[in-house]
């Protein structure tokens, strides 16, 4: 990990100018280099930047460190595709009802990959420290937990003010942040609806930020509701318009998860393990030549169904 002086130098050298940053999915993915630490916004199967994950696998990125608050099916795909061998997260499962990922279990137990487990709160606080520009953050979370015993990076400190024992969490400063939003302008001002998750801190902590958006809107429209701009243009490097960019996961107010598709995926993943996911990758990632072709393979009836469900949820 680079020193904090090096991290601050990188941040100070960033281009913060007001310029258009709209690129294609493949062009944005070229900002990700082999060996990078890639942090993903959203949480579990909510607002997952699935299209960018899809493109990372297609471009055969390697040796990535992947971090996310809670990891879902994207972790399976990245492991089996060989894009990552180090995942930092608080939980790894397709969903609560599906149980622990068989793929994660295989790679962890075999020693082929490192599953670095932190508590959910500690993940958020590590990103927060990175966003604040400090090398660590003092907390009480995980004290007395067995989780902390598996993390040599965690230190303890006697508070100079109260004398009590505190835990020090090292900051997370990703090389690249991948964030999906409901709308963004060409400059990179991103707005989302629903839960914020850890996205704002992830974006501020990262050296490079790629936003994928359901809809590209004008800067005038963004200015009509400036309080909704969660990610400002000056920390964004690329903007990609990708309708249904979270499928088969959900994007609040627009579409629900495609549970039919997820059920079929989990049946293959839990039944056949790594070989089953390899087959899924061949069919849904390597086969389609574009994200639009992937969506066509998922099926228009599925998209209509999850869109109707998403709109109902936003009005309830």
């Amino acid at each position: 990990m680079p020193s904090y002086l090096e991290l601050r130098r990188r941040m100070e050298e960033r281009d913060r100018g007001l310029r258009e940053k709209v690129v294609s999915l493949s062009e944005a993915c070229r900002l990700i280099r082999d060996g990078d630490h890639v942090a993903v916004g959203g949480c579990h199967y909510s607002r997952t930047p699935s299209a960018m994950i899809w493109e990372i696998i297609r471009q055969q990125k390697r040796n990535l460190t992947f971090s996310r608050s809670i990891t879902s099916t994207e972790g399976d795909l990245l492991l089996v595709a060989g894009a990552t061998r180090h995942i930092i997260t608080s939980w790894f499962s397709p969903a609560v009802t599906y149980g622990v990922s068989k793929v994660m279990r295989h790679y962890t137990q075999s020693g082929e990959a490192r599953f670095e487990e932190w508590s959910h709160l500690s993940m958020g606080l590590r990103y927060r420290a990175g966003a604040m520009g400090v090398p660590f953050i003092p907390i009480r979370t995980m004290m007395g937990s067995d989780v902390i015993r598996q993390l040599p990076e965690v230190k303890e400190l006697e508070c100079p003010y109260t004398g009590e024992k505190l835990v020090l969490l090292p900051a997370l400063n990703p090389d690249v942040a991948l964030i999906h939003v409901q709308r963004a302008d060409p400059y990179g001002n991103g707005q989302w609806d629903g839960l914020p998750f850890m996205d704002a801190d992830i974006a501020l902590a990262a050296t490079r930020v790629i936003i994928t958006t359901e809809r590209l809107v004008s800067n005038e429209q963004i200015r009509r509701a400036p309080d909704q701009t969660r990610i400002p243009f000056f920390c964004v490097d690329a903007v990609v318009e990708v309708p249904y960019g979270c499928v088969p996961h959900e994007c609040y107010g627009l579409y629900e998860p495609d549970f039919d598709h997820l059920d079929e995926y989990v049946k293959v993943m839990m039944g056949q393990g790594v070989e089953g996911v390899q087959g899924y990758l061949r069919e849904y990632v390597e086969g389609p030549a574009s994200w639009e072709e992937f969506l066509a393979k998922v099926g228009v009836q599925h998209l209509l169904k999850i869109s109707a469900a998403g709109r109902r949820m936003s009005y309830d």
Side-chain angles (χ1 to χ4, degrees):
M1 179 178 175
S3 70
Y4 244 75
L5 288 176
E6 172 64 15
L7 287 171
R8 294 186 68 85
R9 184 189 65 78
R10 292 182 191 176
M11 298 292 278
E12 289 168 1
E13 290 178 354
R14 292 182 62 173
D15 178 4
R16 295 183 174 85
L18 187 67
R19 58 183 175 84
E20 292 199 4
K21 301 165 184 173
V22 180
V23 296
S24 68
L25 200 60
S26 60
E27 288 172 325
C29 193
R30 285 195 277 275
L31 293 174
I32 302 171
R33 304 162 189 153
D34 288 350
D36 273 349
H37 171 186
V38 176
V40 170
C43 182
H44 211 196
Y45 53 70
S46 293
R47 252 189 324 103
T48 306
S50 301
M52 277 304 308
I53 301 294
W54 182 88
E55 186 64 25
I56 284 172
I57 294 170
R58 286 182 61 82
Q59 290 196 18
Q60 299 182 352
K61 301 295 182 180
R62 291 292 182 268
N63 301 318
L64 302 177
T65 296
F66 174 87
S67 69
R68 195 180 189 198
S69 59
I70 295 178
T71 299
S72 183
T73 56
E74 75 284 349
D76 294 337
L77 302 182
L78 290 168
L79 281 170
V80 175
T84 185
R85 288 294 180 264
H86 183 189
I87 291 183
I88 306 170
T89 190
S90 66
W91 197 54
F92 193 147
S93 167
V96 175
T97 55
Y98 295 125
V100 173
S101 164
K102 189 171 184 178
V103 166
M104 181 275 282
R105 186 182 296 276
H106 164 81
Y107 279 97
T108 302
Q109 291 181 338
S110 68
E112 296 175 57
R114 181 184 177 193
F115 172 46
E116 187 178 330
E117 183 183 9
W118 297 73
S119 73
H120 192 207
L121 178 58
S122 69
M123 288 293 297
L125 291 171
R126 294 188 69 196
Y127 289 130
R128 175 63 56 89
M132 291 169 63
V134 295
F136 65 87
I137 191 166
I139 50 87
R140 292 190 179 90
T141 186
M142 295 195 301
M143 292 178 70
S145 166
D146 286 341
V147 174
I148 206 168
R149 300 176 187 175
Q150 312 302 319
L151 299 168
E153 302 92 338
V154 174
K155 310 296 181 186
E156 292 184 354
L157 173 75
E158 183 178 294
C159 175
Y161 297 103
T162 66
E164 65 181 319
K165 186 172 74 173
L166 295 173
V167 166
L168 306 183
L169 296 181
L172 268 182
N173 285 95
D175 296 299
V176 185
L178 308 180
I179 311 290
H180 189 83
V181 299
Q182 279 87 348
R183 58 199 168 274
D185 69 12
Y187 304 124
N189 292 297
Q191 297 183 343
W192 62 67
D193 303 316
L195 295 173
F197 303 120
M198 303 173 184
D199 293 19
D201 285 333
I202 291 172
L204 290 172
T207 304
R208 301 184 295 282
V209 178
I210 299 170
I211 283 185
T212 55
T213 181
E214 292 290 324
R215 189 160 57 103
L216 198 61
V217 301
S218 68
N219 181 252
E220 288 75 15
Q221 182 168 340
I222 291 290
R223 286 171 180 267
R224 290 187 193 121
D227 58 307
Q228 294 179 22
T229 301
R230 315 299 186 185
I231 299 179
F233 72 90
F234 54 78
C235 70
V236 175
D237 297 272
V239 180
V240 188
E241 187 176 32
V242 194
Y244 291 100
C246 298
V247 171
H249 297 180
E250 65 94 22
C251 188
Y252 174 79
L254 299 177
Y255 49 90
E256 282 288 278
D258 186 347
F259 285 117
D260 293 335
H261 186 94
L262 288 172
D263 283 342
E264 289 302 313
Y265 168 80
V266 171
K267 191 180 299 181
V268 169
M269 184 270 289
M270 295 299 254
Q272 302 174 39
V274 172
E275 289 184 4
V277 177
Q278 287 171 340
Y280 179 90
L281 288 171
R282 285 192 294 270
E283 182 174 0
Y284 287 101
V285 181
E286 297 166 13
S290 66
W291 183 250
E292 291 74 18
E293 284 192 21
F294 164 79
L295 293 176
K297 193 163 188 62
V298 169
V300 66
Q301 280 123 351
H302 281 243
L303 299 181
L304 290 172
K305 179 180 177 181
I306 63 177
S307 296
R311 289 193 298 271
R312 284 197 302 271
M313 288 291 291
S314 64
Y315 292 131
D316 288 347

